[in-house]
Amino acid sequence: AVVSTQSTGEVMLWLRWCSRRYEIPDIDPLMFGFNGKALSLLSLAMFQHRVPGNKKGALILYTEIKNRKKYAEIEKEAEVQRGQKHQEKTPSPTFGERRHA
């Protein structure tokens, strides 16, 4: 899911996934009780506050969110580009035609 649309529950699942994937111990889910939009607005310092004593873990979480957010932006831009190309290829029904009364 796109980071900004994730529910609080999805954020919790993501935290568990990161904890296992990157072997980050001591992630307290209660420190992350918000949705994806709020999560994507956290600074590195805010992640460090929520994962005290594990600067590497905080950096991994911060980087993971920024990468996911950037990927979502790239995907959105690609969709816009595909839509524009489709519009360029599809002429309007009256293109080059004159209506006669």
Side-chain angles (χ1 to χ4, degrees), residues 21-44:
R21 169 72 171 89
Y22 300 110
E23 299 177 1
I24 305 170
D26 304 325
I27 296 177
D28 181 358
L30 297 177
M31 297 294 285
F32 292 91
F34 36 74
N35 64 23
K37 184 170 180 124
L39 184 72
S40 69
L41 297 174
L42 294 180
S43 67
L44 177 56

Side-chain angles (χ1 to χ4, degrees), residues 9-29:
E10 289 171 317
V11 167
M12 295 301 138
L13 291 173
W14 173 80
L15 285 168
R16 266 189 290 214
W17 178 83
C18 284
S19 177
R20 291 179 187 138
R21 169 72 171 89
Y22 300 110
E23 299 177 1
I24 305 170
D26 304 325
I27 296 177
D28 181 358

Side-chain angles (χ1 to χ4, degrees), residues 74-90:
I74 291 168
E75 283 294 307
K76 187 175 181 180
E77 180 61 30
E79 286 179 27
V80 168
Q81 294 295 329
R82 284 191 295 270
Q84 288 174 348
K85 286 181 182 179
H86 178 70
Q87 287 177 351
E88 291 170 4
K89 290 181 182 178
T90 308

